[in-house]
Structures are given as structure tokens and as C-alpha cells.
Amino acid sequence: MATFTLNINGERREVDVDPNTPILWVLRDQLNLVGTKYGCGISQCGACTVHLDGTAVRACMLTVSAVGNQEITTIEGLSENGDHPVQKAWLEVDVPQCGYCQAGQIMTAAALLEKNPNPTDEEIEMAMNGNICRCGTYIRIRKAVKTAANS
């Protein structure tokens, strides 16, 4: 076990965990930030996507020891009141069905729009590739990203 001080959603949080613990389990089990979901555990589905210094990363494979001083943003920290443009577009377009993958989808879309505020359909598909939606809402996801880009 080791003590790590993490910068999560703008707050410094201290945890005492094994250095090889994936940040997903630190968030969920140590800090009770359960919006980040466990999906596959092998970085293939995107349900666990968080931002690391603004870049979308898979929390299931990122160890706590690899984070260092970088800022982690979870779905809980994306906006204080759920009013981030991507979150609002998700509701406007009525994207979710079961909702399980949506936090990871939203975090990936928000990172894309931060770097590219007006992506083409192809750029959206490339950025969102690897975020699996079991319900198949991909067309609505792309429409929501475009809606957020235009807001």
C-alpha cells in the first residue's frame, strides 16, 4: 500500500492503495465516484472513460501510480449542474437507452469537442470509435455531438 494525493474534479484527494490499482477502482471504491463505470476491464469498451489533463483515457487500465500530478476529471466533475453542452445535447437528442455506457460516451465527446470544436462526421466517428453502446445509439450519439458543437 502507498499513499497518493490525486487531483480529482478540482479537489486534492488522498488515497492509500496498492500502486498498481486501476484509477477506476480508486474512483469507485475509495472515493465513491461511481459515475465512471466498469465495462470490460481491458480498455476496449469505453465505459470507464475519464479525462486525464483533458485527454480521454480508459480508467480501467490507468494505474494510480501513473497519474502523478495530472488532473483527473470524471463525469461528476464535467459540470457542476449537469449543464455541460454535451450533457445538454445528450438529453436534447434523447441519446440514452439503458444508459450504462453514457458517462464514457459523454466524456469522450467532451474531450473531442475541447480539442476540435467543429468536428466532421468522420472525425466524430474516429474519436468515438471504441466506445461501445450495447443499445446501438450511435446515430443519436453523433447527432448529439454535432448539437453540442453547434451550441
Side-chain angles (χ1 to χ4, degrees):
M1 298 295 237
T3 301
F4 296 90
T5 302
L6 302 170
N7 188 354
I8 300 176
N9 298 331
E11 294 181 29
R12 310 251 337 133
R13 306 286 298 268
E14 196 169 280
V15 295
D16 188 32
V17 295
D18 182 292
N20 293 317
T21 304
I23 201 68
L24 171 66
W25 300 118
V26 172
L27 295 170
R28 294 182 60 79
D29 295 345
Q30 303 293 316
L31 301 174
N32 199 32
L33 294 170
V34 295
T36 304
K37 304 298 184 204
Y38 173 77
C40 65
I42 57 171
S43 195
Q44 297 298 304
C45 74
C48 67
T49 302
V50 298
H51 294 173
L52 189 63
D53 280 347
T55 299
V57 298
R58 307 293 167 85
C60 70
M61 299 299 286
L62 176 66
T63 62
V64 66
S65 61
V67 172
N69 293 323
Q70 297 176 89
E71 166 77 20
I72 297 169
T73 304
T74 67
I75 190 72
E76 293 92 344
L78 189 60
S79 69
E80 193 169 313
N81 301 312
D83 59 358
H84 186 280
V86 174
Q87 291 170 310
K88 289 168 60 174
W90 240 246
L91 293 174
E92 181 182 328
V93 175
D94 197 25
V95 172
Q97 284 186 23
C98 82
Y100 196 82
C101 70
Q102 297 308 300
Q105 300 275 4
I106 288 168
M107 294 303 287
T108 301
L112 165 64
L113 293 176
E114 186 64 31
K115 291 176 176 42
N116 181 355
N118 193 23
T120 64
D121 286 348
E122 294 79 23
E123 290 168 329
I124 293 169
E125 288 182 28
M126 185 181 305
M128 301 303 292
N129 186 35
N131 281 74
I132 297 171
C133 176
R134 296 173 184 154
C135 299
T137 64
Y138 300 111
I139 292 172
R140 290 193 310 247
I141 289 169
R142 184 176 61 230
K143 183 176 179 182
V145 173
K146 298 284 273 186
T147 298
N150 293 324
S151 64

